[in-house]
Amino acid sequence: MLQPGGRRRRRRGWGSGSFPAWLCSWALVCCQREAGAAVASLPLPPCREADYHFEYTECDSSGSRWRVAVPNPEVECSGLPDPIRGKECTFSCASGEYLEMKNQVCTKCPEGTFSVGSGIQFVEWDDLPAGFTNVATYMDSVDGSSENKAESCSKSSWNPRGNYIESNRDDCTVALIYTVLLKKSGFVSFEYQYIDKNIIFEFFVQNDQCQEMDSTSDKWMKLTNSGEWGSHFITLKPGTNILYWRTTGIFIGSQAMKPVLVKNVTIEGVAYTSECFPCKPGTFSNVTGSSTCQICPKNTYSEMGAKACTKCQEEAHYADEGSGHCKERPPCTNNDIFQIHTPCDQDGKTRLMYKWVESKICREDLPGAVTLPPSGERKECPPCNPGFYNNGSSFCTPCPQDMFSDGTWECKPCPPGTEPALGLEYKWWNVLPHNMKTSCINVANSKCDGMNGWEVADDHIRTGAGGTDDDYLVLNLHIPGFKLPTSVTRMTGSELGRLTFVFDTICSADCSLYFIMDINENYTNVVKSWSGTKEKQSYTYIISKNASYTFTWAFQRTNQGHESRKLIYDVAKIYTITVTNAVDGVASFCQACAVGSEQSGSSCIPCPAGHYIEKETSQCKECPPNTYMSIHRVYGEEACVPCGPGSRSTKDHFSCFSDCKLSYVKNNRSFTYDFSNLSRVGTVMNGPSFTARGTKFFHFFNISLCGNQGEKMAFCADNITDITLKDMVAESEYYSNVVRAFVCQSTIIPPDSKGFRTALALQSNSLADTFLGATIETSLGSINANPDMFNQSERKIPDVHFYYKSSGVTATCQIGRTSVVTLRCDPAKPGQGKISVPSLCPAGTCNGCSFYFLWESAEACPLCTQQDYHEIEGACKKGHQEILYFWNEPKQCVKGVSLPEKKTIKCEMVDFWLKVGAAVGAFTAVLLIALICYFWKKNQKLEYKYSKLVMSANSKECELPAADSCAIMEGEDNEEEIVYSNKQSLLGKLKSLATKEKNNHFESVQMKSSGSQNI
């Protein structure tokens, strides 16, 4: 049975009410011995009170039980007391008491002991307490690797660390299990520290049927602040309760995990306890009836069951608080010394002082020990911080209202038409500012309680020595609220102010620096963390809600427990901290403001949203259309920044957004787009991918493309099983693990990968919080769309690129991230279509800073115009003709103009006689052509005969030819050529032929001979 303090002890009562199984065996052996003794006739001595103890039997159905006497081991006696009826099963004693079994009454615990009454408490974790077990598994469904992964987790477990127990540091799933049987309703409570969101931490309770109890519906534990402990309380029902503390690491990155710590486990509801328990070493109890033991102070110690603490010989030995023995003091080293600067004196001087790290445990009188260097060197004090001035005293004083100073001269009033730019700027560190405090916290001990976690050092503030290397060195800055300058108080938007700090870290081990934010002392969250050595850099946090903020910087040299300081030279330094628009701020300069009319004087007035201050008149004037107001500059028209291509400004000129409409002209053709149907959030999940240990995960993206009046509609959330996403979004200004952006990313662990019932989301980031523009150009400013990241489109319609940026910077993205969403027309993918990432970069990026997405959809096609269809005319039938309209193939447009309906028009039919006339005309034309051919051939013959006659005449010059005959006889060929007296054209010949008389068979011709030339 488990005892307070986690030690295994022999128990004389069974709080669970169970009857020990070994008792039956012992009774059987006892009976056998008695039988053997009877046979041998050996009498047994009578039993004394020291020879036995009392126990209760199992409770029967009526809730009653018996008290029986049980001989102690190795004892043989006779005459045990008779069983008597015991207390009811639900009986219990109060805290500080135990049940004295002989008389069955509650008795106070003596000094040096304690009791929790009807409960069990575990406060000491030097070893794993009895009853606790570790079960390590690797819950992943990747085929062929389960056996190897199970073996790789065989050494993973929860590890006792003295005052607490620590979870595993790998990506195995390890459950710490304890089973308790309660006779009445009770509870379990414990304290825990859970700071790493890459570990999933659950606590739940099951019954003996392995069914989760109703009280553990909220089993997902909340993250705690670094160095602080959270508490958890759950009611328990009577019966068997199996308690599970289960952790699962999500080891996606290379950064070491911060384990979960658990301590002070208390279980209430055990029926009774039959004895008190001695105080553990390092604690004591000096009164009777104690429910707890007190811790021994420093330089004292105690042993088990101590009633008081014993002092150490302080000259040569020391003891930490709660020690069980004294330790020998070591020789002093440089690690035991640190330096500070004193406040400035009236002469403007500061002194450099050396001090021993408290509490001092080293000796200066041992061989090899170092001594404290001389102090008191005077140095010039640094100037006051901006907004403060030195009034001749040793302290810097803030400037009065409406005055300013850069810290080197006295405060001056702001000129007319200006107002002080309120804020805080700390760059000189001679004393800790009044709104800052420092402390040291250790999760396991109180060695550094009261120490300064950070020390001022002239031009920076640095971490102190601390008590041990695993201390949290804490620096807090409190800002009661934020207020915009008068001229822009009516501006709306997400930025109310900003905090910027410059820092670096020097580490030789696994150090970590945490930047933590607390809002209204109600919600605390780790905003950013850095591990290892970091070069000098700046980080900016945007404040979007007016509330009371406490910003914390916590530095831990290592998360491995150490009893000494070995890493004192591992430090974090902060050089400057700047906060804008702080309500309790001071001014280092004045800025122009809008003034009222002449009647109202020169006092500053707030400008309406989207108005700038005109330089000539100091009056408010609205920004031009499609420009947005720069929140960092309101003076002059240049404060109005033009929106990018394809975007328009909001009504208040706070930002630019896409209204899902876009137009451009290409090749003398106008293209118009309407992406309204893509304004809903689009999602894409790419994967799976696997970690080095084989954990399966997916990259999940949400994209809010356009519309919604510029509202960022994409949400990504960590630990979605922790709280419903709806509730988280409703109060997203409080939850930094809820990201609201145009494009955001989460890492999804599927339920089959780690054995959870639901998928887990973590590492949510904003990839786009500002819209820059939409265009078909492949670059916008310094951002390139890299069209080669995706396969080229076969269509002639160019892609449209939406450009975004994110203001959040990372170690690898010093100017923030950029995102490009490429819209591609694809009529085959209706509705939302398909979103994809580059095949070569499954995470959407190849360098971690530039992200690319391809969104293919029919909704990405341009609107249809009259140029996207053509008409076809049908045949004229019965005086009517149809005209049909068809889209050009392939169709590459949507919506826009509709395809016209077919229409019917009247048409004129050709007349019958017109057809006859056409036929006659065609016949006449054919006949005419035939006649022309006939006469042309005949004319050719006449010309031939004439040419022959001429040739004959030329052969007999000066002779008249004899007339052999006046006519050509029948059957003879006229070989003489005939020459017409007047040559006529072909048309003339036809005309003369038509007018010739019927009886005139002869033509008058001129006979050409050789003699005719001389006539």
Side-chain angles (χ1 to χ4, degrees):
M1 186 69 182
L2 202 133
Q3 304 297 318
R7 297 185 181 276
R8 189 185 303 273
R9 294 174 55 87
R10 180 176 56 84
R11 180 129 184 194
R12 297 188 177 180
W14 297 93
S16 63
S18 61
F19 193 80
W22 59 265
L23 187 59
C24 297
S25 300
W26 183 90
L28 179 60
V29 172
C30 184
C31 292
Q32 292 174 347
R33 288 182 177 178
E34 291 180 356
V39 173
S41 301
L42 296 176
L44 294 176
C47 292
R48 299 170 300 172
E49 287 190 8
D51 295 332
Y52 61 88
H53 62 274
F54 294 102
E55 293 184 4
Y56 281 130
T57 63
E58 288 279 2
C59 295
D60 56 26
S61 59
S62 63
S64 60
R65 56 188 173 183
W66 293 83
R67 190 206 69 177
V68 297
V70 180
N72 295 329
E74 307 298 333
V75 174
E76 295 182 1
C77 62
S78 62
L80 292 173
D82 294 331
I84 63 173
R85 185 173 295 276
K87 295 284 187 179
E88 61 273 13
C89 292
T90 58
F91 174 81
S92 63
C93 295
S95 297
E97 297 179 344
Y98 71 101
L99 182 63
E100 197 275 310
M101 294 293 290
K102 180 177 180 180
N103 300 315
Q104 299 192 79
V105 294
C106 293
T107 306
K108 289 186 178 181
C109 293
E111 295 179 359
T113 63
F114 74 101
S115 169
V116 292
S118 61
I120 305 174
Q121 191 176 45
F122 303 93
V123 295
E124 183 181 350
W125 299 89
D126 295 324
D127 299 306
L128 191 65
F132 280 87
T133 57
N134 276 295
V135 176
T137 57
Y138 195 99
M139 297 182 179
D140 197 294
S141 61
V142 181
D143 295 337
S145 60
S146 300
E147 183 177 352
N148 294 334
K149 292 174 183 177
E151 293 178 357
S152 66
C153 292
S154 60
K155 297 182 180 180
S156 297
S157 67
W158 287 73
N159 302 301
R161 299 297 185 192
N163 292 332
Y164 60 89
I165 187 169
E166 175 186 280
S167 72
N168 58 307
R169 296 170 179 260
D170 51 28
D171 53 352
C172 296
T173 298
V174 183
L176 180 68
I177 306 173
Y178 180 71
T179 303
V180 61
L181 178 63
L182 300 186
K183 291 300 180 181
K184 62 179 182 178
S185 297
F187 65 85
V188 58
S189 65
F190 59 91
E191 297 179 56
Y192 71 96
Q193 187 176 111
Y194 173 32
I195 63 174
D196 194 340
K197 62 183 180 182
N198 291 323
I199 294 180
I200 307 302
F201 181 31
E202 311 165 80
F203 176 75
F204 56 95
V205 181
Q206 291 183 348
N207 58 22
D208 53 2
Q209 302 297 320
C210 294
Q211 297 174 338
E212 289 192 16
M213 311 295 280
D214 297 338
S215 58
T216 60
S217 57
D218 186 18
K219 66 179 183 178
W220 308 97
M221 307 302 294
K222 307 293 190 300
L223 289 170
T224 62
N225 196 2
S226 297
E228 296 184 0
W229 291 89
S231 60
H232 196 63
F233 177 94
I234 284 182
T235 59
L236 300 177
K237 296 180 179 180
T240 301
N241 291 267
I242 307 174
L243 314 181
Y244 290 84
W245 291 265
R246 187 167 71 178
T247 57
T248 303
I250 310 299
F251 202 69
I252 294 179
S254 58
Q255 183 174 348
M257 295 182 184
K258 306 293 184 183
V260 175
L261 311 181
V262 174
K263 69 176 184 178
N264 293 342
V265 178
T266 300
I267 302 173
E268 182 68 33
V270 176
Y272 72 95
T273 179
S274 61
E275 65 177 347
C276 295
F277 308 104
C279 294
K280 70 174 184 176
T283 64
F284 71 99
S285 171
N286 56 0
V287 295
T288 60
S290 295
S291 60
T292 59
C293 295
Q294 303 178 53
I295 298 176
C296 289
K298 293 180 180 179
N299 295 324
T300 64
Y301 73 99
S302 69
E303 297 179 350
M304 179 77 72
K307 300 177 182 179
C309 299
T310 304
K311 290 186 177 181
C312 299
Q313 297 179 359
E314 295 190 20
E315 295 79 10
H317 296 83
Y318 77 98
D320 295 322
E321 186 179 60
S323 295
H325 62 278
C326 294
K327 301 177 182 177
E328 186 176 353
R329 292 184 181 272
C332 294
T333 66
N334 290 328
N335 290 347
D336 297 305
I337 301 173
F338 72 97
Q339 65 179 26
I340 63 171
H341 291 75
T342 63
C344 293
D345 57 23
Q346 294 183 354
D347 297 330
K349 301 289 185 178
T350 181
R351 295 178 182 272
L352 185 61
M353 306 296 292
Y354 294 93
K355 291 188 175 183
W356 293 110
V357 174
E358 296 294 340
S359 61
K360 182 185 176 185
I361 61 172
C362 64
R363 295 177 59 182
E364 303 174 61
D365 57 351
L366 294 177
V370 300
T371 58
L372 200 65
S375 300
E377 179 185 356
R378 300 186 70 188
K379 297 175 60 178
E380 290 288 337
C381 280
C384 294
N385 281 310
F388 293 81
Y389 74 103
N390 192 317
N391 58 359
S393 66
S394 60
F395 298 98
C396 292
T397 305
C399 287
Q401 187 176 0
D402 296 328
M403 301 185 75
F404 71 101
S405 171
D406 68 349
T408 61
W409 31 259
E410 293 185 358
C411 300
K412 301 177 182 179
C414 288
T418 64
E419 61 178 335
L422 297 179
L424 296 170
E425 183 180 0
Y426 299 122
K427 63 180 182 179
W428 300 110
W429 303 91
N430 180 250
V431 294
L432 196 67
H434 72 282
N435 59 348
M436 300 183 73
K437 64 178 183 179
T438 179
S439 60
C440 181
I441 301 174
N442 193 293
V443 299
N445 56 63
S446 57
K447 291 181 180 180
C448 72
D449 290 357
M451 292 185 180
N452 286 335
W454 294 66
E455 301 287 349
V456 294
D458 197 23
D459 63 343
H460 66 274
I461 184 171
R462 57 182 292 162
T463 51
T468 55
D469 289 339
D470 60 339
D471 293 339
Y472 283 98
L473 307 173
V474 179
L475 178 67
N476 301 109
L477 169 64
H478 178 66
I479 305 296
F482 292 86
K483 181 182 179 181
L484 289 171
T486 304
S487 299
V488 294
T489 52
R490 295 181 181 175
M491 289 186 64
T492 60
S494 59
E495 182 173 339
L496 192 61
R498 56 176 56 194
L499 181 145
T500 303
F501 61 95
V502 179
F503 73 99
D504 64 13
T505 58
I506 302 174
C507 300
S508 59
D510 57 332
C511 73
S512 296
L513 175 64
Y514 300 91
F515 176 57
I516 305 164
M517 173 197 65
D518 177 87
I519 302 177
N520 293 332
E521 299 182 356
N522 181 39
Y523 173 73
T524 303
N525 187 66
V526 177
V527 178
K528 184 72 175 177
S529 64
W530 298 265
S531 298
T533 298
K534 298 296 179 184
E535 296 181 354
K536 193 174 182 179
Q537 58 186 274
S538 66
Y539 179 79
T540 298
Y541 178 74
I542 305 298
I543 290 91
S544 58
K545 180 178 177 61
N546 189 15
S548 175
Y549 286 80
T550 297
F551 299 100
T552 300
W553 293 264
F555 180 73
Q556 187 182 40
R557 292 185 170 95
T558 179
N559 60 6
Q560 304 290 339
H562 292 286
E563 294 186 358
S564 61
R565 292 184 296 269
K566 299 180 180 179
L567 306 173
I568 193 172
Y569 293 111
D570 290 7
V571 297
K573 299 179 182 179
I574 296 179
Y575 297 90
T576 63
I577 299 177
T578 304
V579 184
T580 62
N581 302 332
V583 295
D584 62 344
V586 293
S588 61
F589 65 94
C590 297
Q591 59 189 4
C593 68
V595 297
S597 59
E598 295 181 1
Q599 291 79 7
S600 62
S602 59
S603 61
C604 294
I605 62 170
C607 284
H611 287 63
Y612 66 94
I613 304 173
E614 196 173 35
K615 293 182 178 180
E616 292 77 11
T617 63
S618 294
Q619 301 293 311
C620 299
K621 188 174 182 179
E622 186 177 4
C623 282
N626 294 329
T627 62
Y628 67 95
M629 191 78 178
S630 171
I631 195 170
H632 305 294
R633 187 175 185 178
V634 296
Y635 193 63
E637 189 174 358
E638 55 269 24
C640 304
V641 183
C643 293
S647 62
R648 56 183 299 181
S649 63
T650 56
K651 292 181 180 179
D652 56 6
H653 294 274
F654 171 72
S655 63
C656 298
F657 72 99
S658 170
D659 60 356
C660 300
K661 305 291 195 303
L662 180 67
S663 298
Y664 70 92
V665 178
K666 181 179 180 181
N667 298 331
N668 296 325
R669 181 181 175 184
S670 177
F671 291 87
T672 303
Y673 293 85
D674 184 358
F675 304 120
S676 299
N677 289 341
L678 301 179
S679 61
R680 292 178 296 142
V681 175
T683 62
V684 55
M685 181 180 290
N686 192 54
S689 299
F690 299 90
T691 65
R693 290 284 296 271
T695 299
K696 181 168 62 176
F697 65 94
F698 294 83
H699 296 287
F700 180 77
F701 302 92
N702 278 331
I703 300 176
S704 176
L705 184 70
C706 60
N708 304 301
Q709 293 299 311
E711 290 289 329
K712 306 178 185 72
M713 304 303 295
F715 293 94
C716 295
D718 290 350
N719 291 341
I720 57 175
T721 52
D722 183 328
I723 186 171
T724 63
L725 184 59
K726 179 180 179 181
D727 293 338
M728 296 177 76
V729 171
E731 301 182 18
S732 59
E733 64 270 21
Y734 287 117
Y735 295 92
S736 62
N737 57 351
V738 176
V739 177
R740 185 171 185 169
F742 289 112
V743 182
C744 63
Q745 174 195 26
S746 291
T747 301
I748 303 297
I749 308 297
D752 61 344
S753 182
K754 288 293 181 181
F756 297 119
R757 296 181 180 178
T758 56
L760 301 178
L762 64 158
Q763 298 182 349
S764 297
N765 294 304
S766 170
L767 306 182
D769 53 26
T770 302
F771 174 68
L772 300 178
T775 176
I776 62 172
E777 302 298 330
T778 57
S779 64
L780 182 62
S782 60
I783 306 176
N784 196 305
N786 284 340
D788 295 336
M789 299 288 283
F790 302 97
N791 295 329
Q792 297 298 316
S793 174
E794 299 178 355
R795 305 179 186 277
K796 297 180 179 179
I797 303 298
D799 297 334
V800 179
H801 308 288
F802 279 67
Y803 295 86
Y804 305 88
K805 72 173 183 179
S806 174
S807 57
V809 298
T810 64
T812 56
C813 309
Q814 294 297 326
I815 60 173
R817 297 183 175 98
T818 61
S819 297
V820 180
V821 181
T822 299
L823 297 185
R824 177 170 294 176
C825 172
D826 191 344
K829 298 175 181 177
Q832 287 286 93
K834 177 185 177 183
I835 305 176
S836 58
V837 296
S839 58
L840 298 179
C841 309
T845 177
C846 295
N847 58 8
C849 300
S850 301
F851 290 79
Y852 301 94
F853 305 91
L854 177 64
W855 196 332
E856 299 172 288
S857 170
E859 298 295 332
C861 297
L863 298 181
C864 295
T865 65
Q866 293 181 353
Q867 296 176 322
D868 292 304
Y869 64 83
H870 60 277
E871 66 178 32
I872 297 178
E873 296 182 354
C876 183
K877 298 180 179 179
K878 299 180 180 181
H880 293 84
Q881 182 182 30
E882 288 185 346
I883 299 180
L884 304 177
Y885 297 91
F886 297 91
W887 292 112
N888 298 333
E889 292 295 339
K891 183 184 178 183
Q892 300 182 114
C893 64
V894 293
K895 295 181 290 190
V897 300
S898 301
L899 195 67
E901 297 289 339
K902 70 176 182 179
K903 60 182 180 179
T904 303
I905 61 174
K906 292 183 178 181
C907 57
E908 297 183 359
M909 297 184 63
V910 181
D911 188 76
F912 172 77
W913 293 110
L914 186 58
K915 292 181 179 180
V916 174
V920 172
F923 175 77
T924 305
V926 172
L927 180 61
L928 183 60
I929 292 173
L931 289 174
I932 290 173
C933 293
Y934 169 78
F935 285 109
W936 177 79
K937 185 174 182 181
K938 187 173 182 180
N939 182 61
Q940 289 294 99
K941 289 184 178 181
L942 289 175
E943 287 181 355
Y944 172 75
K945 291 181 177 182
Y946 176 77
S947 61
K948 189 175 181 181
L949 179 63
V950 171
M951 292 175 62
S952 175
N954 288 338
S955 60
K956 299 177 180 182
E957 294 184 358
C958 300
E959 291 183 7
L960 293 173
D964 294 335
S965 175
C966 295
I968 299 176
M969 299 299 295
E970 184 178 358
E972 292 182 353
D973 289 333
N974 186 4
E975 296 180 356
E976 300 292 335
E977 291 189 2
I978 302 174
V979 179
Y980 291 96
S981 61
N982 293 316
K983 286 191 176 181
Q984 294 178 317
S985 64
L986 180 61
L987 183 59
K989 293 179 179 180
L990 293 174
K991 185 177 180 180
S992 60
L993 180 63
T995 56
K996 188 188 301 180
E997 292 183 1
K998 291 184 179 181
N999 297 327
N1000 188 8
H1001 298 287
F1002 302 97
E1003 296 181 22
S1004 174
V1005 298
Q1006 180 180 359
M1007 302 299 294
K1008 183 177 180 181
S1009 64
S1010 61
S1012 63
Q1013 296 179 357
N1014 298 325
I1015 296 177

